[in-house]
Amino acid sequence: MLVRTVLTVLIFTTSTVAAAREPAPVRPGYSGGLAPALLAARAVDPVTEPVYSEPTTPSSASPPLATPPPQNIRPPRIAADEWQREKRKLQAQTGVSWVFTLIGLAGTAVPLAVLRRCDEADRTRVMDCSQERRTAAIAAPIFGALTIASIIPAIVYSSRLARHNRYSGMARFNVTPGGVLIRF
């Protein structure tokens, strides 16, 4: 069941990405066929080929130009009220995700404890736990799935909130071996 779900999501995602791409330009004079987009993608446009002013030899060919690294990897500065609004939103998302994670953990632990108690009761034959065992056996995997499904967004939102707080524009004081460090 899990494999089927993962494959369905994978196929849906790839087809959505493929549909969102721009269609490849079709060569002029192409009359059609089975896959014009594929043939157009394979066609080499003579304008995009590099033009060399001198004959190239292996020693005279220049390496491809590399893109320069970004000068500033910090997010752009935003207004204080917008920053606060984004912080409140991230705090709410983080809190809800962690609450669902804790509910999932507790909801998994309680049925497992009930199953253990029923196993011990079966050995001593004190009571019949068939109904409790059935309920716990159904509830434990459901809450386990909730835990797994909610811990991923909880981690993502926590890291986003930490990054958001890191780039707050406020001064932070740290003690270092050389003295006090002020970061803005």
Side-chain angles (χ1 to χ4, degrees):
M1 185 67 180
L2 178 65
V3 173
R4 176 187 269 173
T5 305
V6 169
L7 287 176
T8 303
V9 168
L10 181 66
I11 290 170
F12 173 74
T13 305
T14 54
S15 64
T16 304
V17 169
R21 288 187 184 160
E22 294 180 10
V26 180
R27 285 189 317 214
Y30 183 72
S31 62
L34 292 177
L38 292 176
L39 291 176
R42 289 184 186 172
V44 177
D45 190 13
V47 177
T48 60
E49 291 182 12
V51 177
Y52 297 105
S53 60
E54 61 185 43
T56 59
T57 61
S59 62
S60 68
S62 61
L65 297 175
T67 58
Q71 297 301 319
N72 189 4
I73 58 172
R74 298 176 91 183
R77 292 206 179 256
I78 56 176
D81 59 338
E82 188 177 336
W83 188 87
Q84 285 292 336
R85 185 173 39 251
E86 182 71 18
K87 181 179 180 181
R88 283 192 301 271
K89 183 178 92 170
L90 285 171
Q91 284 175 336
Q93 291 170 334
T94 303
V96 168
S97 297
W98 281 112
V99 165
F100 278 128
T101 302
L102 292 176
I103 289 171
L105 285 173
T108 304
V110 170
L112 292 177
V114 169
L115 286 173
R116 181 179 172 92
R117 184 180 56 99
C118 286
D119 286 343
E120 291 174 3
D122 283 347
R123 278 189 234 130
T124 59
R125 302 199 190 277
V126 174
M127 63 181 189
D128 182 28
C129 284
S130 61
Q131 184 60 33
E132 290 86 3
R133 184 184 306 274
R134 185 176 303 119
T135 305
I138 292 171
I142 292 172
F143 282 109
L146 175 67
T147 303
I148 292 171
S150 62
I151 193 133
I152 295 168
I155 292 170
V156 168
Y157 289 137
S158 296
S159 65
R160 283 184 186 174
L161 182 62
R163 188 177 335 121
H164 185 75
N165 288 336
R166 191 176 322 130
Y167 298 123
S168 66
M170 308 274 288
R172 291 186 313 274
F173 298 100
N174 292 336
V175 178
T176 61
V180 177
L181 177 67
I182 302 173
R183 291 185 182 164
F184 291 95

